[in-house]
Amino acid sequence: MRGNKFYLLIMLVEAWLLLRAIQYLIQITEKKWKRLLLLISSAGLLAMVIFIGDKINVLFTAILFLGAVWLTCEGSFWKRMEIGLLFSSTILAFNALRDNYFLNVMYIHFHQDYYMIRKIILSGLFTGFLYLGIRKFAPDKNYTLSDSTWRLLLLLTATPFCIMLSIITLYNVEQHHTMLIKVHQEFAVVLFLVLMSFIGVFWAIIVLAKQQKLEQQNTLAEINRNYYQLMEQQHIEIRQIKHDMANHLSILAALPQEQREDYIKDLTERVIKIHTLHYCGDATINAVLSVKESIINRNEMQWEIQMDIAKELPFEKVDICALFANAIDNAVEACVKQTKDRRKIVLKCKAQKGLFCMSVTNPVPPFDEESLQKESFATTKPDKENHGFGLKTMQEIVERYHGELELKTKDGIFELFLYMPLETVIK
């Protein structure tokens, strides 16, 4: 009895390590009963005996664990499917090697307690290896991959999973017993290669996530470079105006009264065009808006900004850059297809009372407005031509900070509105 309790305790510890490994790659809900469900499913996955020729255990366990991941984890459909299938396939492939080749003879020659001890040790070593490897190389918690990437990874995982499934389920049960190790060593080689394939998919996820993070950082760095180049250019212009001020005053003194007003008006317009590129208290927002304003001016659009952000926002700079850049890019893309008199973008932002809010409005051509009344993020499809780029990225960022993103249109005006708590734990 004490031995059973000890085995159960060790198995729960191993399941907790597996749950922690899963949490490095996908967000798990904070609800306790859901986390308990995933913990129990992980324990069942690790403890499940997978004998070659058994058509029930492997399918039942894989489906049960996929369902648990689906219910307890957050993210897109494809992300949850891939993470669930990858972890279940990896553990099941190890279990098949463990139960058919590492422990098969031991079960015959030793007492069952020794068999259980060896089983727990092997499972613990593999689970610990998996946990430590993922913890060491895991990407940032806020990493994002596109649905197309997750679908590709799911395909890469499904192929070795089907090979493993074929070996386990298609083997003739009548011939399967103690002679398995002597007669079918090739199965062990195939299962080991399948297991290495799953490890390779883990590594692919880590590499892709870090590559995307690097690309985001490069984008932010490029925007900051453009921002400082604009500042430097305008500082040069300001110095030039100061240098020429004496000449301007001399000219004004010499001009007739009727020409002075035109000269003063022209000089004033030149000075107004040179602003300080300071929209708010966040340097990243200033950098993005400075670059985007030059694009808006080149396309002869009206540009209205209402900013109430006194200090730096407590979000990742890459995320701030992505939110503002994608929102404005979508608005610009929609406006260039309108007549010049309708090209107007209005940006409103506030950071007050514990919330950051942003609203971007722009005109759009008529389309089925009823389809935008749905709460699903897929409601952007009717306006896909004008507002498809970058919206999924924005949605993922907002959800990560426990916020909300809303899209709506009325009387030919499209509005993107989002809010995020200023004090929150990143998902």
Side-chain angles (χ1 to χ4, degrees):
M1 188 68 178
R2 290 181 179 178
N4 292 334
K5 290 182 178 180
F6 174 75
Y7 298 148
L8 178 61
L9 178 62
I10 297 299
M11 189 58 63
L12 287 176
V13 172
E14 294 177 5
W16 180 82
L17 287 176
L18 181 60
L19 185 146
R20 293 286 297 170
I22 295 172
Q23 197 165 17
Y24 280 113
L25 296 181
I26 190 170
Q27 175 65 29
I28 302 176
T29 182
E30 297 297 329
K31 293 183 178 179
K32 293 183 179 180
W33 72 269
K34 288 188 175 182
R35 296 180 73 89
L36 180 61
L37 174 63
L38 185 59
L39 181 67
I40 295 174
S41 300
S42 299
L45 179 66
L46 291 166
M48 184 58 64
V49 176
I50 304 297
F51 282 123
I52 294 178
D54 189 341
K55 298 178 175 61
I56 298 177
N57 282 359
V58 63
L59 290 172
F60 173 77
T61 307
I63 293 173
L64 182 66
F65 189 77
L66 275 173
V69 171
W70 174 260
L71 289 174
T72 60
C73 296
E74 300 176 356
S76 66
F77 169 83
W78 298 108
K79 182 176 182 179
R80 284 184 283 179
M81 286 292 294
E82 164 59 13
I83 296 299
L85 182 63
L86 182 57
F87 273 95
S88 61
S89 301
T90 303
I91 300 300
L92 289 173
F94 171 77
N95 287 1
L97 283 169
R98 177 196 66 192
D99 297 329
N100 293 278
Y101 296 97
F102 299 153
L103 297 178
N104 192 41
V105 173
M106 294 178 185
Y107 183 81
I108 298 174
H109 293 287
F110 296 97
H111 190 271
Q112 186 174 1
D113 286 341
Y114 292 100
Y115 168 82
M116 289 299 299
I117 292 174
R118 286 164 173 76
K119 179 177 180 178
I120 289 175
I121 291 175
L122 287 172
S123 297
L125 289 174
F126 182 76
T127 307
F129 167 79
L130 188 64
Y131 165 73
L132 292 175
I134 293 177
R135 188 184 71 171
K136 182 177 180 179
F137 299 105
D140 294 340
K141 289 185 178 181
N142 58 347
Y143 84 98
T144 57
L145 296 176
S146 64
D147 282 348
S148 60
T149 302
W150 284 116
R151 285 194 291 268
L152 175 60
L153 291 168
L154 184 62
L155 178 63
L156 294 176
T157 305
T159 302
F161 173 77
C162 291
I163 295 174
M164 177 188 69
L165 200 63
S166 299
I167 291 176
I168 295 174
T169 60
L170 298 182
Y171 179 70
N172 191 343
V173 180
E174 294 179 359
Q175 298 177 3
H176 171 267
H177 200 54
T178 59
M179 296 302 293
L180 174 67
I181 296 179
K182 297 181 180 179
V183 180
H184 295 285
Q185 294 288 349
E186 65 273 18
F187 285 178
V189 176
V190 176
L191 287 173
F192 178 77
L193 293 176
V194 166
L195 183 60
M196 291 299 100
S197 298
F198 295 138
I199 300 298
V201 176
F202 277 114
W203 185 249
I205 293 175
I206 292 170
V207 171
L208 288 172
K210 291 185 176 181
Q211 179 64 29
Q212 185 188 57
K213 184 72 172 181
L214 182 61
E215 291 177 357
Q216 291 176 338
Q217 291 173 345
N218 290 337
T219 301
L220 178 60
E222 181 63 26
I223 288 178
N224 280 323
R225 280 195 296 269
N226 293 335
Y227 167 66
Y228 291 118
Q229 287 174 0
L230 286 171
M231 286 188 64
E232 183 178 359
Q233 179 182 352
Q234 293 190 349
H235 287 163
I236 292 173
E237 293 177 359
I238 291 173
R239 288 197 298 268
Q240 289 175 345
I241 288 181
K242 289 181 178 180
H243 181 268
D244 295 337
M245 187 58 66
N247 293 331
H248 291 309
L249 293 175
S250 299
I251 293 172
L252 283 172
L255 284 175
Q257 182 66 34
E258 60 273 10
Q259 295 181 11
R260 289 181 183 176
E261 293 183 2
D262 292 337
Y263 191 89
I264 293 173
K265 182 179 179 181
D266 180 65
L267 184 61
T268 303
E269 289 178 353
R270 289 179 60 190
V271 174
I272 289 175
K273 289 180 181 179
I274 304 175
H275 49 274
T276 62
L277 299 177
H278 184 83
Y279 305 91
C280 65
D282 190 290
T284 303
I285 297 176
N286 290 335
V288 176
L289 296 187
S290 299
V291 174
K292 298 304 179 183
E293 182 168 341
S294 62
I295 297 174
I296 289 170
N297 291 335
R298 285 200 301 268
N299 287 279
E300 299 179 350
M301 300 177 185
Q302 300 180 57
W303 175 238
E304 181 181 334
I305 302 177
Q306 299 179 21
M307 303 290 290
D308 188 4
I309 301 176
K311 58 183 180 179
E312 296 278 346
L313 294 176
F315 310 126
E316 292 288 337
K317 294 184 181 298
V318 174
D319 293 334
I320 296 173
C321 177
L323 287 176
F324 279 84
N326 285 321
I328 297 172
D329 284 343
N330 289 337
V332 170
E333 185 180 354
C335 280
V336 295
K337 299 178 182 179
Q338 310 300 311
T339 58
K340 290 184 179 181
D341 60 315
R342 297 194 69 226
R343 295 181 180 179
K344 183 177 181 179
I345 300 174
V346 179
L347 171 65
K348 300 179 181 179
C349 296
K350 286 187 177 182
Q352 294 181 352
K353 298 180 180 179
L355 280 180
F356 163 70
C357 303
M358 180 174 73
S359 170
V360 181
T361 61
N362 60 267
V364 291
F367 56 91
D368 184 10
E369 297 186 5
E370 292 182 0
S371 60
L372 282 181
Q373 304 306 318
K374 299 178 182 179
E375 294 182 0
S376 172
F377 192 63
T379 56
T380 59
K381 288 183 179 179
D383 195 31
K384 185 177 180 179
E385 182 179 0
N386 296 315
H387 289 276
F389 179 77
L391 283 176
K392 289 184 178 180
T393 299
M394 296 180 66
Q395 178 78 358
E396 291 171 351
I397 293 172
V398 171
E399 288 181 351
R400 210 183 314 131
Y401 289 100
H402 304 273
E404 294 287 341
L405 186 149
E406 299 176 0
L407 308 173
K408 63 181 179 180
T409 183
K410 184 177 182 181
D411 300 329
I413 299 297
F414 181 90
E415 180 181 9
L416 180 150
F417 174 80
L418 64 88
Y419 71 86
M420 299 187 298
L422 292 174
E423 296 182 2
T424 183
V425 177
I426 300 177
K427 289 186 178 183

